[in-house]
């Protein structure tokens, strides 16, 4: 069964341009006869819409004056711009077997409406006119079904998005639909809140069975049926933008992947490739991330220190995402990992690797750094003498840097926070089951806000790498890739929209 769900709006029923040409007193005569049912002292006259020859009056007035006195003569003077466009599209195999019309009635919300009140735009009085329209255009439909959206107060009027959604859900839930029904929805008439609510509810309720009718009363020849998959893709592209702002690259991929094609467009290919690279970065798989960067990043990749800055920027991203534990973890990992990279670069001849890839420092380091052994704890000294090597992490790593760069031994030096407050706070914070507050991340690095925290980490990295970078964002290769991803998503959206128009 084909089912057509129709919203109605203030200008869906109009008077043809020559309505008054036949008899200038015609509207006044009709109005005088029927206006008592309006129960108001306001007087309404037909007016021309901008750049249009046809005439309009508020929908409630149209229904009371023309609907209550409807005959073939009056009906012949009515014009239905959107309904005509939709009806022509719903012919042949698309012809509806059932029509559901959504009307509005704000009578309970507006007790004494002024002339500009939304009350007068209600479509509930148009039933006689709409019944005749559907009888003529779809004669096999025995009875049109009507639903009324009835807000109870001005605050919960039909411009209220939440209330419109609630009313639409409530009304559609009263009807029965079968699993194999084809659903056509024309949602453009009515307030923006009603239009959005109908789209949301129909897509959620009927999924892929929905086709949306879209048109323009000035260009009825462009009336189109949009499949729900294309429509959902448009909605999900907007959701993808939100996810991208949160650096949720896997989320963007999961959202868009159902729409990807085997014969992808250049825009889609680029987006997919960039997402694949970004996901590796988000998992801190920096080596895999690097493989996808191409020639543009090759100079940076030749340096030994680049991954330390990527890890630090990952800590910044985690903080933006509200993941304070990972922000703290990656900030420690960035600096301690970079010190290890420095040791492997500067003293490669004194490094030996375990089967798992973790480094040991060999006792031969004493040839280049004679004071190193004496800076270690006694048990570590014994192990280095007896076994000829010791694991290169934490204290043994810190002391190697302090021996090679004595200036950082001073308790006022920027690096003192690494083997001081940061190390003291790291394990207690990581092993605590309670949540970690953002301020605790800053305090662990002896700072008190996001900017000073980022600057503290950056200065530590710059000291170890002997660099002079001024921003973690601009230092990171991922920062530029993220900008490229934002543009790629825009290009993909434009291409998708272009494809939709060409269908």
């Amino acid at each position: 069964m084909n089912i057509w769900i129709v919203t109605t709006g203030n200008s869906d029923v109009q008077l043809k341009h020559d309505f008054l040409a036949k008899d200038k007193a015609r509207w006044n005569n009709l109005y005088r006869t029927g206006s008592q049912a309006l129960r108001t002292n306001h007087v309404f006259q037909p007016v021309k819409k901008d750049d249009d020859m046809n005439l309009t009056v508020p929908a409630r007035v149209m229904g009371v004056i023309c609907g209550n006195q409807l005959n073939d003569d009056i009906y012949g003077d009515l014009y239905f711009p959107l309904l005509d466009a939709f009806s022509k599209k719903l012919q042949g195999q698309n012809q509806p077997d059932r029509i559901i019309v959504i009307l509005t009635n704000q009578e309970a919300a507006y007790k004494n409406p002024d002339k500009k009140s939304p009350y007068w735009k209600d479509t509930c009085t148009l039933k006689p006119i709409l019944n005749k329209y559907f009888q003529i255009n779809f004669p096999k439909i025995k009875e049109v079904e009507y639903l009324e959206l009835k807000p109870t107060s001005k605050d919960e009027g039909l411009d209220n998005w939440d209330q419109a959604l609630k009313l639409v859900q409530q009304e559609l839930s009263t009807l029965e639909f079968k699993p194999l029904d084809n659903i056509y929805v024309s949602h453009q008439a009515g307030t923006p809140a009603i239009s959005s609510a109908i789209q949301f509810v129909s897509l959620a309720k009927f999924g892929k069975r929905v086709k949306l009718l879209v048109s323009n009363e000035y260009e009825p020849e462009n009336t189109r049926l949009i499949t729900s998959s294309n429509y959902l893709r448009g909605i999900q592209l907007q959701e993808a933008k939100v996810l991208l702002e949160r650096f949720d690259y896997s989320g963007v991929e999961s959202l868009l992947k159902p729409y990807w094609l085997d014969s992808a467009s250049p825009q889609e290919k680029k987006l997919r490739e960039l997402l694949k690279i970004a996901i590796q970065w988000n998992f801190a798989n920096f080596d895999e991330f690097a493989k996808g960067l191409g020639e543009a990043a090759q100079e940076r990749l030749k340096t030994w220190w680049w991954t330390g800055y990527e890890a630090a920027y990952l800590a910044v991203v985690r903080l933006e995402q509200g993941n304070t534990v990972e922000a703290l973890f990656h900030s420690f990992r960035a600096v301690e990992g970079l010190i290890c990279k420095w040791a492997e670069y500067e003293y490669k001849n004194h490094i030996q690797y375990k089967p798992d890839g973790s480094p040991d420092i060999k006792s031969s380091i004493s040839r280049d750094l004679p004071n190193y052994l004496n800076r270690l704890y006694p048990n570590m000294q014994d192990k280095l003498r007896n076994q000829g090597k010791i694991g290169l992490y934490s204290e043994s790593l810190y002391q190697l840097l302090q021996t090679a760069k004595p200036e950082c031994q001073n308790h006022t030096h920027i690096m003192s926070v690494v083997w001081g407050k940061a190390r003291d706070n790291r394990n207690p914070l990581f092993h605590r089951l309670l949540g970690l507050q953002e301020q605790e991340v800053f305090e662990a690095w002896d700072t008190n806000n996001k900017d000073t925290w980022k600057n503290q980490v950056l200065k530590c990295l710059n000291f170890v790498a002997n660099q002079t970078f001024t921003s973690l964002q601009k230092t990171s290769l991922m920062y530029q890739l993220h900008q490229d991803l934002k543009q790629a998503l825009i290009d993909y959206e434009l291409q998708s929209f272009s494809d939709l128009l060409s269908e």
Side-chain angles (χ1 to χ4, degrees), residues 72-89:
D72 290 344
D73 188 37
I74 292 175
Y75 183 84
D77 285 322
L78 300 179
Y79 175 56
F80 306 85
L82 282 178
L83 286 174
D84 282 347
F86 294 147
S87 296
K88 287 178 182 177
K89 199 69 178 177

Side-chain angles (χ1 to χ4, degrees), residues 121-132:
K121 296 181 179 181
D122 283 338
T123 57
C124 55
T125 62
L126 294 175
K127 276 186 186 180
I129 297 173
L130 294 174
N131 275 332
K132 191 172 183 67

Side-chain angles (χ1 to χ4, degrees), residues 305-317 319 324 326-339 401 413-419 421-423 438 440-473 475-476:
W305 42 258
W306 72 274
T307 54
Y309 290 92
E310 296 301 327
Y313 184 52
L314 184 55
V316 173
V317 167
L319 192 71
T324 52
E326 285 206 18
L328 188 61
F329 168 75
H330 286 294
S331 62
F332 287 141
R333 181 176 182 265
V335 176
E336 188 166 309
L338 190 64
I339 299 173
L401 183 66
H413 193 272
I414 185 67
M415 293 300 295
S416 64
V417 70
V418 178
W419 38 78
K421 191 164 186 176
R423 181 172 66 172
E438 188 176 86
E440 292 179 288
V441 176
F442 306 148
E443 290 173 358
W445 281 90
D446 202 23
T447 60
N448 55 22
N449 60 56
K450 185 188 300 182
D451 289 337
T452 55
W453 168 69
K454 290 193 292 185
N455 195 45
Q456 185 90 303
V457 174
L458 177 62
K459 285 181 177 179
C460 290
L461 295 174
N462 280 344
F463 175 78
V464 177
N466 196 26
Q467 300 298 313
T468 57
F469 294 116
T470 58
S471 165
L472 286 175
Q473 284 90 331
T475 304
S476 168

Side-chain angles (χ1 to χ4, degrees), residues 15-39:
L15 296 169
K16 291 180 179 177
H17 67 279
D18 60 352
F19 176 79
L20 296 178
K22 298 176 182 178
D23 180 358
K24 291 184 178 180
R26 194 170 184 214
W27 174 259
N28 290 337
N29 293 334
L30 289 171
Y31 197 83
R32 190 164 36 251
T33 302
S35 61
Q36 187 175 355
L38 290 175
R39 300 194 300 275

Side-chain angles (χ1 to χ4, degrees), residues 226-292:
I226 302 177
T227 62
S228 60
S229 59
N230 281 330
Y231 211 81
L232 281 168
R233 181 167 64 168
I235 294 173
Q236 289 178 326
L237 276 167
Q238 302 311 309
E239 292 179 9
K241 290 180 181 179
V242 175
L243 292 176
L244 189 57
E245 287 300 314
R246 296 186 62 251
F247 310 95
D248 186 354
Y249 307 116
S250 295
V252 174
E253 184 184 59
S254 297
L255 200 62
L256 300 181
K257 202 169 185 177
Y259 304 100
W260 288 348
L261 305 171
D262 293 334
S263 55
S265 65
Q267 295 87 346
E268 183 182 309
K269 283 181 180 178
K270 183 173 183 180
L271 179 63
R272 290 164 66 168
E273 288 168 2
L274 292 178
L275 282 172
K276 184 178 179 181
I277 298 168
I279 288 168
Q280 293 302 320
W281 182 88
N282 225 2
F283 289 146
N285 294 332
F286 298 134
D287 289 336
E288 292 299 316
F289 165 71
K291 289 177 184 177

Side-chain angles (χ1 to χ4, degrees), residues 147-150 166-175:
L147 301 176
E148 283 193 11
L149 305 181
K150 298 179 179 180
K166 179 181 176 181
L167 289 172
V168 169
Q169 288 173 324
Q170 180 179 301
E171 290 302 317
L172 283 180
S173 69
T174 63
L175 301 178

